[in-house]
Amino acid sequence: MALSHSSAPFLIVSLLLISVTLISVKANLIDDICSKTQKNDVCLSVLREDPRSKDSNLEDLMTIAIDLSQKHTQYMRNLVAMLFNKEANSTIKTRYSLCWENYNDAISNLGYLPELLKSKDYEGLNMHASAALSYPSKCDDNFSELPVEPVQLKVANENLRELIDIILVINKLLKG
């Protein structure tokens, strides 16, 4: 079937509209995800700054969020080990040791997420991400009595909760 000269402009305009719509949808995907998180500005910063997020779909963004959460949890475990080694007070050392165990458990739960995403097991993904979300709070709870939790540990725990919140929001969107 040959295109007539009168239908060619219509086809070109239609293709341009579809292209603009797809670009707009991708740009709005991160905005949509982040608007549903507890810390919209943190989410926007984290997802937009990662070079892998360009032209990403929901599953790609989930992979990024999982990766960042895993790396941050490993950083936290290393931070606690460093604080433990510098500490002389046995009570505080015990608290750091408990946090270290919490992060090991979080790392374990986060480790399941890539395969659960690949198999589209969104219920399992939600279960393990939710479990991982509980561990930074458990670490914070170890410092409920004096002396207070070091600021850098408290901030790192909050950052991990924000990263895992992104995972949970994307998971809800993937479940549909």
Side-chain angles (χ1 to χ4, degrees), residues 113-164:
L113 302 187
E115 188 58 39
L116 293 167
L117 175 62
K118 185 177 176 182
S119 66
K120 300 187 184 314
D121 180 357
Y122 303 124
E123 292 301 322
L125 198 147
N126 186 68
M127 181 182 73
H128 285 284
S130 295
L133 181 63
S134 71
Y135 294 112
S137 296
K138 288 180 181 182
C139 178
D140 287 339
D141 292 345
N142 293 325
F143 291 91
S144 61
E145 297 177 20
L146 291 176
V148 297
E149 180 176 13
V151 172
Q152 67 191 87
L153 184 58
K154 191 168 191 63
V155 169
N157 279 327
E158 181 59 31
N159 290 341
L160 181 57
R161 281 189 287 272
E162 292 165 6
L163 288 170
I164 296 173

Side-chain angles (χ1 to χ4, degrees), residues 76-101 143 150 152-153:
M76 292 179 67
R77 185 174 63 178
N78 294 339
L79 171 64
V80 166
M82 180 204 60
L83 293 170
F84 177 90
N85 290 330
K86 289 182 176 181
E87 186 58 53
N89 181 308
S90 63
T91 301
I92 298 173
K93 280 181 95 89
T94 299
R95 292 176 187 174
Y96 288 142
S97 179
L98 292 170
C99 285
W100 195 81
E101 290 175 23
F143 291 91
Q152 67 191 87
L153 184 58

Side-chain angles (χ1 to χ4, degrees), residues 5 9 26 28 30 33 36 41 49-50 66-67 87 92 103 126 128 131 133 145 148 151:
H5 290 294
K26 289 204 182 275
N28 289 332
I30 291 175
I33 290 166
K36 294 171 175 56
D41 55 335
E49 286 179 13
D50 193 296
I66 291 169
D67 182 52
E87 186 58 53
I92 298 173
Y103 300 135
N126 186 68
H128 285 284
L133 181 63
E145 297 177 20
V148 297
V151 172

Side-chain angles (χ1 to χ4, degrees), residues 66-67 69-71 73-74 103-117 125 128-129 132 167:
I66 291 169
D67 182 52
S69 296
Q70 288 174 320
K71 287 178 180 173
T73 306
Q74 290 168 355
Y103 300 135
N104 278 338
D105 292 338
I107 287 168
S108 175
N109 277 282
L110 291 170
Y112 291 107
L113 302 187
E115 188 58 39
L116 293 167
L117 175 62
L125 198 147
H128 285 284
I167 292 171

